[in-house]
Amino acid sequence: MALYSRRLMKELKELTLAPPSGLKILEANDLNRWVLILEGASGTLYEGETFNLEFRFSTSYPIEAPEVIFTGNIPVHPHVYSNGHICINILYTHWTPAQTVATVCLSLQSMLSSCKKKERPPDNDGYVVRAKSPKKTRWCFHDDEI
């Protein structure tokens, strides 16, 4: 069994048996694509809201980060584009194989929780028109406050 399949089976088992608070598996029928439900934390702008996160894994996982996007109800946030693409460095330049689906989800929940104002990124409209995949985007990380 390949590294990526062993790793994903282990992560799926852990998420099934003991999911972090505010996280539920919606769909994980194969090792290439999972959909999880992320709940907005209480006491935040996103309290009571739920969001779907789609994870797409290549056979290079965990060496290579999965592609992660919001689908369906996409949060209005300065680092989340209206097409669901997420600008957060842990999915790109700061990815390490030590990260897991659960740690990515917790980071995204933390990102949402620290938001002070619901708004789209300033370049949302132009980005959405030309972006095909977040993994093919050259991201510029300039704001660690949100």
Side-chain angles (χ1 to χ4, degrees), residues 79-99:
H79 293 269
V80 180
Y81 290 84
S82 59
N83 62 358
H85 293 188
I86 307 161
C87 180
I88 185 169
N89 62 10
I90 64 160
L91 293 174
Y92 311 103
T93 58
H94 287 90
W95 173 259
T96 71
Q99 293 179 105

Side-chain angles (χ1 to χ4, degrees), residues 45-46 49 74-82 85 87 111-112 114-125 142-143 145-146:
L45 292 176
Y46 302 94
E49 295 183 55
I74 297 170
V76 176
H77 185 280
H79 293 269
V80 180
Y81 290 84
S82 59
H85 293 188
C87 180
M111 179 187 83
L112 292 176
S114 66
C115 185
K116 305 287 187 246
K117 182 179 179 185
K118 288 185 176 184
E119 60 186 359
R120 290 280 179 224
D123 60 339
N124 181 74
D125 294 342
H142 52 77
D143 182 2
E145 299 295 314
I146 301 172

Side-chain angles (χ1 to χ4, degrees), residues 37-146:
I37 297 173
L38 183 70
E39 298 173 355
S42 62
T44 71
L45 292 176
Y46 302 94
E47 180 177 5
E49 295 183 55
T50 59
F51 308 101
N52 288 358
L53 279 171
E54 182 175 314
F55 282 74
R56 293 183 191 149
F57 304 96
S58 77
T59 56
S60 297
Y61 181 81
I63 304 305
E64 180 184 301
E67 181 178 278
V68 182
I69 61 170
F70 283 102
T71 61
N73 178 30
I74 297 170
V76 176
H77 185 280
H79 293 269
V80 180
Y81 290 84
S82 59
N83 62 358
H85 293 188
I86 307 161
C87 180
I88 185 169
N89 62 10
I90 64 160
L91 293 174
Y92 311 103
T93 58
H94 287 90
W95 173 259
T96 71
Q99 293 179 105
T100 64
V101 170
T103 62
V104 168
C105 289
L106 291 172
S107 293
L108 293 173
Q109 194 173 49
S110 176
M111 179 187 83
L112 292 176
S113 295
S114 66
C115 185
K116 305 287 187 246
K117 182 179 179 185
K118 288 185 176 184
E119 60 186 359
R120 290 280 179 224
D123 60 339
N124 181 74
D125 294 342
Y127 174 79
V128 170
V129 168
R130 65 182 184 279
K132 303 293 183 232
S133 164
K135 296 203 46 122
K136 293 181 179 172
T137 297
R138 182 174 290 143
W139 295 102
C140 179
F141 305 105
H142 52 77
D143 182 2
D144 290 332
E145 299 295 314
I146 301 172

